[in-house]
Amino acid sequence: MDEPLELAMGELDEEKVLALVEERIQAGVSPTEIVESCRNGVEIVGRRYSDGVYFLSDLIMSEEIFRGVMRLVEPHIPQGEATNGYTVVMGTIEGDIHDLGKNIIIYLLRSSGFRVYDLGVDVSPERFVQAVSETKTCILGISVLLSFCVGSIKKVVDLLEEAGLRDEVKVVVGGYTVSELVREYTGVDYYAGDVSQALRIIREIVNADCPQRKN
Ligand code: B12
């Protein structure tokens, strides 16, 4: 836990956040730890927004600061093999345009050699299923931050079932709203609330469930 960085993010103090991130990078703190501290910091922003202390403009400000953090951190993310032969399809579910977390996971996966098809934001259940079918991926990652969009994830799973693709693909959801309850309700296989869980689960899937689908 990096309290000064989290608090600076919570206070939307851009100058301080960027200075602290530079300091952490120089001190050898891992990019993942820095990103997670910043994520904890934007949770403070989210709580203050819910409490009516912050406004939409403050959410937008937090996005801007987070993008600045990523510009500093990305060059320090170790690059793995050029390609490991696995494909992941990722997108943010219909109705939701949050993409900072999705983009971080995509960046990390690409750095670890995954080929990632990024469907973007506000992606319909039908489009997810079409992409699974076209790419023959064994991993579908869906980001969801808005609670009222969770139902559309259930629809993705239902459509995969109808298309006969459910057994071909592991579905992982991530984002602020995810939990065991969401996993059960939607019928997805896994959920991940942070970077290390996300990478651990995706590595587990490629090792256990889809060596045959390397392409
Ligand atoms: C920044 C922000 C915005 C930005 C988004 C910018 C962008 N390009 O993403 C803007 C200003 C656009 C925005 C808009 C809105 N927002 Co907003 N936003 C936030 C905020 C403050 C931070 C989100 C964020 O980027 N976090 C940082 C990233 C790094 O974390 P993350 O997304 O959780 O991702 C991590 C993990 O979850 C995981 N992960 C993420 N995706 C995936 C996917 C996979 C496959 C895996 C494995 C892992 C994974 O890895 C990431 C790295 O650790 C949150 C508060 C919060 N507590 O999250 C509110 C929050 C999500 N927003 C909220 C709301 C209500 C809105 C609006 C409806 C506000 C409005 N009145 O218009 C709109 C909705 C717009 C829409 N249709 O989507 C609510 C949602 C409440 C709810 N439970 O439904 C929150 C929680 C704020 C709050 N407390 O009220 N928002």
Side-chain angles (χ1 to χ4, degrees), residues 36 39 46 49-50 63 95 97-101 143 146-147 175-176 193:
E36 284 310 314
R39 191 177 57 79
Y49 173 76
S50 299
E63 172 191 6
I97 60 162
H98 294 85
D99 65 357
L100 284 172
S143 197
L146 298 176
S147 313
Y176 174 73

Side-chain angles (χ1 to χ4, degrees), residues 32 35-36 39 66 70 74 77 88-92 99-118 139-145 172-175 191-203:
T32 310
V35 168
E36 284 310 314
R39 191 177 57 79
F66 217 115
M70 290 314 293
E74 276 177 6
I77 294 176
V88 180
V89 170
M90 289 270 283
T92 300
D99 65 357
L100 284 172
K102 169 184 74 65
N103 293 345
I104 290 170
I105 301 295
I106 289 177
Y107 190 90
L108 291 171
L109 288 175
R110 287 187 175 145
S111 307
S112 316
F114 287 87
R115 185 188 305 143
V116 184
Y117 284 87
D118 181 6
I139 306 172
L140 171 61
I142 306 178
S143 197
V144 58
L145 276 86
V172 190
V173 294
Y191 71 94
D194 64 38
V195 168
S196 36
Q197 279 174 7
L199 295 183
R200 181 179 50 74
I201 288 167
I202 291 175
R203 289 200 181 107

